[in-house]
Every structure is written in C-alpha cells, then in structure tokens.
Amino acid sequence: MWNMDNGAEGSVLTGHEDNVTSVAVTSDSRRAVSASFDGTLRVWDLQNNSSERILTRNQNAFTSVVVTPDGLRVISASLDHTLRVWNLENGEPGEILDGHDAQVLSVAITPDGGRVVSASADGTLRVWGLDNNAEDRLLAGHMGVVRSVAITPDGTRAVSTSDDHTLRLWDLKKGEEERVLIGHNLSVNAAVVTPDGTRVVSASDDQTLRVWNLNTGEEEQRLTDYENGVGAVAMTPDGMKVVSASKDDALRVWDLEESPGERVLTGHASGVRSVLVTTDGRRAVSTSDDGTLRVWNLEDGSEERVLIGHDDWVLSVALTPDGKQAVSASYDGTLRVWDLQSGEDRRVLTSSEFFVLSLAVAQNGKSALSASDDGILRVLDLESGALEQVFIGHEDVVLSVAITQDGRRAVSASRDGTIRVWNIEGATQERILLGHKSGVWSVAMTPDGKHAISASEDGTLRVWDIDSGAEEKVLAGHEDGVLSVAVTLDGKRAISASADRTLRVWDVYAGRELAKIELDGGVWALAVAPNGTTIVAGDAGGNVYCLEYVEGKGEGPRMGGLREWLVRWGMFMAVRRQRYRDKPQKK
C-alpha cells in the first residue's frame, strides 16, 4: 500500500511462494484475500498487518478471487478448471463449482452477492447460484478463450471478452446471448461497464480502446494512438473518464464526453500490468514490470509520485472501498499494504531471504512446515505468522517435506542425499535415513504414518519404516532420476514420475512394479486422486496428462483410459521445480 500524499510505502505482506495473481478486499476494508500461482489463498488482517490463515494448498494455481458484498464468503478460480466457495470467517472450504473443461481465468460477482459468473479458457462462461452452489446457466458462443467478464451494475447482464476478437452481451436471467460486439481485430483482453450500465469500454491487442452502446451493440468511439496492445482498463465512478494500461509502457486517460481526447501518462520504464482509479475519480494508480507503482493526477495528467518497494514486476493493485488503503501484488512473492492517508508501509509479514520449495500444513490447520533452499525447515503458526520452530540438519537444499496425519512427526528430503525424520513436539531430529546414492527429490507418507517413500536422482524409490529407520524395499526400474512420488489413500500403491519419460505404479508392500506408461517428455510432477486410480501428471514439455489405472483381469495390471490435455501455460508444478533448480540462492 502507498500513501497518496507523500508516496511512502506502507505494509508488505509476504508469504506466497509464487506469483500473486489477484487480490480482493472485504467491504469493511479489514481483510484482504490473495490468490497465487503457489496454489494457496491467504487471508490478511489489514488492521494489524498479519496473516490470518491459509485457506488451502492446491497443486493448481489460482487465477482470480472475489469476496461477496457481505464479506462472509470468498470465491476462487483456478487452473484446475474449478471455482470454490470458502467461509471467510473460519477458513473452511465449501462447495466446489465444477463444470468448466479448462482453466478458469476470471470471476465476477453480482452486486447482490447472489450469483457469480466465471470465464474460462474452454470458451464458455458459467453462471453459478451461491444460494445452492449450483450451475444455473452455461453461456456458450465464443470461439476462443474467454479472457474476462464484467457484470452490469443492475446485475442482470454480463459482458465477456475473448481471443475470438469479440465481446458478447449476455442476459443472466435467461442465459441467452443478446448480441455480439464485432470490431476488434485481435484478442479482447478486458472490459469495463459504465455506472449507468449503458456502455462498455473494451481493451484489445489491436492497439485500441472501443466504446460500445450496450443497447444497440454499435461502436460509438474508437480510441487509438497506442503503440502496442492494451491489456487493462478502468473507469472513474462518474463514468466520464477511462484509464488504460498498455504494453508500450504508458497509461492514457480518455475523456469519454470529449471525443476523442486522451492524455498520455509516461514514466514507467516497462510494461504496465494493471491500473485502477480511486473512489473519488481524481487519481489513478498503475503497476508495471519496472517494479514500481505510480500515482497519477487525472485532472492535469501529472505524475504525483512513484511508489518504490517491490523487487520485481508489480502485477496488480486493489483499493479498499473506502479508498483508504491499497494492496499491491508482485512477482517478488510479496504483498504490500499501504496506508493511503499516511503513506506508511506498515511492515513485511515474513522474510524473503530464502526460497520456500515445499510446504506441508498440519491436519489441524494451525501450523505449517516449510522447506527451503537454505537447508532449514521452519514451523510457522498460520494464525499469527510467528516462527515457532527451526529444524537444522540438512547440508543442502531441502526439496520436499511431509507431515504425519497426527502432526507429531515430519519427514524431509534433501539434495544432500538423505531423508530425515523429525519429532515436531520435541523439536528434535529422530533419525537420518541413508541409502540413496544421490539427491532425494520427493518424499511421501503412507496415511497410517508408519512408512515413508522417497524418490531420488539415483533412479530408485525406497520404502522406509519410520519407527525403526530401516530401509524395507528398494523399488528399481526407472532409467533416470525419479522426481516425484505419490501414495494412494489406502497406502498400498505408490506412483512415481521420472525423467525417463515414464510413470510407474508400484505395490508398496511387495516391492514390485505393477504398471508402466511412457509419456512424451520427462515427467516432473504427479498427483493421485482420492479414488486411487486417477493420476494426473505433468512433463517437461508442458503437457498435462490424466490417466486411469485399471487392474487387469487375467492379463496383469495395466494403464487404461489415457486422456491428455496440452496446457499452453505448462504444468506449474513442473515450472516451479525447474525454477528452483536453476535460480541462484538468495543471500
């Protein structure tokens, strides 16, 4: 957050391990909810600048988040094709809104808080009722990825933008397409509706803003003079001016009543990621890849101040409804909360002197154990963010960590070639498990907490008795390093992913390979569904696979029902693993 009077930086909220993609603030301005590519949602107390809780940890990145007008619920959108409703008071997960066939990229909520509309890469929008958490309508018509959705102030209509170069106006009650707005020559990235609900302004990669009449579908204005695509647009509360952000590093202010008029606000040294207008309509705040936020006077076009504090791209900014606080999100993994009255940067909630590579949350949801590139494990209180314990012993990067279901023990895997068992209650190291010939990339626990299964660059998996520390089985068969391992809920099967381009299913107790399937690239990440048969994996080429493991009758176990999705953004777990492998340690 930034002080708009003197440009001072307020608070920095840290904790996320990857890009923070979206921030929403409750109507009373007391809380913020952030969504991240690290697979978590975090609830922040903006009064004392502390982390209240982590709502979830998911293998899929979150792309968007909104808070209901009453401040009681949160709706998140994710790359796993779903939305989820959360109880903001206690952090408990609610219903999963499942229906999209690809990543959900945007979510909007009606002013009465009764319905949400989601936009997806599957080319559809879906309307969901929050009273029954069910899909009310499927809005189909776009011929490409749907990038964004906006809802009219009366809550009766939605406007969507798409890679098919069009906007579409939808009647939310009937679930019908009212009209198609045609005119852009490239992808339409964003749209904003005027306060009276009669017009919409769209931003496109064709280097234009266009103003449309929603009642007639006609293009009323075309605002040009851009040198690159336009990615974001915001509007003043009176509906008279819009502020656009483009990839030519400039913000432009347009007076819609004085067509065509524009003011170019220059100052950023790199692309502008997002922009918003203050509630009084007098100023704009922009974020950029140059690592800064800038505050602009919309009356005369002057740059009032530059807000400096982030160490990397600033991806987005949100304003509280009362206009007193702003929250900025950056690729440096931090959130910064700014008091707009004093300009004070209140504080950074956590340290960012190391990369957190793995995190396990205890079953009680009150604490988490983090593994980092400095070789240290840390136990954190999720309510206060306080550091409770530190476990030191590994001699290299800790790559994976798991906690037993009773929360008493933890097992960590390191590039130093060891697995270590820790007593969390006593804050002591119980034993070191030795046997691997190279770094250990992953470790998983059986549900009963009695065994750990490790995966190593030496091409093997090993099954360990946690109580005695004995190595019970060596699972050999992979022809290259084993990068990930998962265990079924019954503890009988383990699934491994390897750089040799294969997935393999193992009988944990017999120590034998049950099935193998070869994929298109080295397999970096995997997960197994609660049913124990559905396996999702990601490879080095950015492919995501969904497979069904079928027990054969008379012919031995086999892999069956192979379904494959090619995901443009790649498998984020795989991308993160490569980043940790290549990125230098922070000093």
Side-chain angles (χ1 to χ4, degrees), residues 197-213:
T198 63
R199 294 188 292 176
V200 62
V201 183
S202 56
S204 171
D205 280 343
D206 67 7
Q207 303 179 23
T208 70
L209 282 182
R210 300 184 191 224
V211 182
W212 308 84
N213 186 309

Side-chain angles (χ1 to χ4, degrees), residues 130-196:
L130 291 184
D131 55 342
N132 58 5
N133 295 310
E135 179 180 322
D136 288 343
R137 300 278 189 277
L138 169 65
L139 309 180
H142 280 296
M143 304 301 292
V145 171
V146 186
R147 289 286 170 187
S148 72
V149 60
I151 297 176
T152 57
D154 62 7
T156 63
R157 298 190 288 180
V159 182
S160 57
T161 72
S162 171
D163 283 357
D164 67 8
H165 308 178
T166 72
L167 297 90
R168 294 177 190 248
L169 179 65
W170 308 89
D171 184 315
L172 295 183
K173 185 176 181 180
K174 298 178 181 179
E176 297 176 352
E177 178 186 284
E178 288 191 4
R179 58 182 51 89
V180 182
L181 310 182
I182 300 175
H184 284 295
N185 301 319
L186 290 173
S187 297
V188 189
N189 298 314
V192 61
V193 179
T194 57
D196 62 7

Side-chain angles (χ1 to χ4, degrees), residues 2-153:
W2 306 92
N3 184 297
M4 294 300 184
D5 294 323
N6 57 27
E9 178 181 297
S11 298
V12 180
L13 309 181
T14 62
H16 283 297
E17 302 168 31
D18 209 330
N19 299 8
V20 183
T21 57
S22 180
V23 179
V25 180
T26 57
S27 57
D28 60 9
S29 303
R30 294 185 176 183
R31 287 172 169 170
V33 183
S34 56
S36 171
F37 278 168
D38 68 6
T40 70
L41 297 172
R42 292 179 183 251
V43 182
W44 308 90
D45 186 325
L46 298 183
Q47 301 301 305
N48 57 23
N49 305 308
S50 63
S51 173
E52 288 190 0
R53 60 180 61 91
I54 300 177
L55 295 186
T56 184
R57 185 162 188 90
N58 188 358
Q59 287 192 350
N60 290 281
F62 289 103
T63 57
S64 185
V65 63
V66 293
V67 180
T68 56
D70 60 12
L72 299 179
R73 290 181 291 178
V74 171
I75 298 91
S76 60
S78 173
L79 292 183
D80 68 1
H81 310 180
T82 69
L83 296 95
R84 185 184 280 271
V85 182
W86 306 84
N87 185 311
L88 188 53
E89 292 302 311
N90 57 28
E92 291 294 325
E95 293 292 326
I96 295 176
L97 309 182
D98 190 2
H100 283 295
D101 296 322
Q103 303 97 328
V104 186
L105 302 180
S106 179
V107 61
I109 190 166
T110 55
D112 64 3
R115 291 182 292 178
V116 294
V117 183
S118 55
S120 170
D122 66 9
T124 71
L125 297 99
R126 294 175 191 255
V127 184
W128 312 84
L130 291 184
D131 55 342
N132 58 5
N133 295 310
E135 179 180 322
D136 288 343
R137 300 278 189 277
L138 169 65
L139 309 180
H142 280 296
M143 304 301 292
V145 171
V146 186
R147 289 286 170 187
S148 72
V149 60
I151 297 176
T152 57

Side-chain angles (χ1 to χ4, degrees), residues 550-569:
V550 180
E551 295 283 352
K553 295 182 179 180
E555 59 182 29
R558 61 187 175 86
M559 284 287 191
L562 174 62
R563 293 173 290 156
E564 175 182 332
W565 291 272
L566 302 181
V567 181
R568 181 179 297 275
W569 292 338

Side-chain angles (χ1 to χ4, degrees), residues 337-408:
V337 180
W338 310 89
D339 185 320
L340 297 185
Q341 299 300 315
S342 65
E344 179 184 359
D345 177 5
R346 294 181 175 176
R347 66 188 177 99
V348 180
L349 293 186
T350 61
S351 172
S352 58
E353 297 178 353
F354 49 86
F355 295 119
V356 177
L357 305 185
S358 180
L359 188 73
V361 179
Q363 290 294 314
N364 61 15
K366 295 181 179 180
S367 60
L369 181 64
S370 65
S372 65
D373 65 341
D374 61 4
I376 298 175
L377 294 93
R378 296 168 173 85
V379 178
L380 304 173
D381 185 291
L382 294 182
E383 293 295 324
S384 65
L387 178 64
E388 294 183 341
Q389 294 171 311
V390 176
F391 297 94
I392 300 176
H394 282 294
E395 299 175 359
D396 207 331
V397 173
V398 185
L399 297 169
S400 181
V401 64
I403 298 178
T404 57
Q405 289 193 0
D406 60 15
R408 295 181 179 180

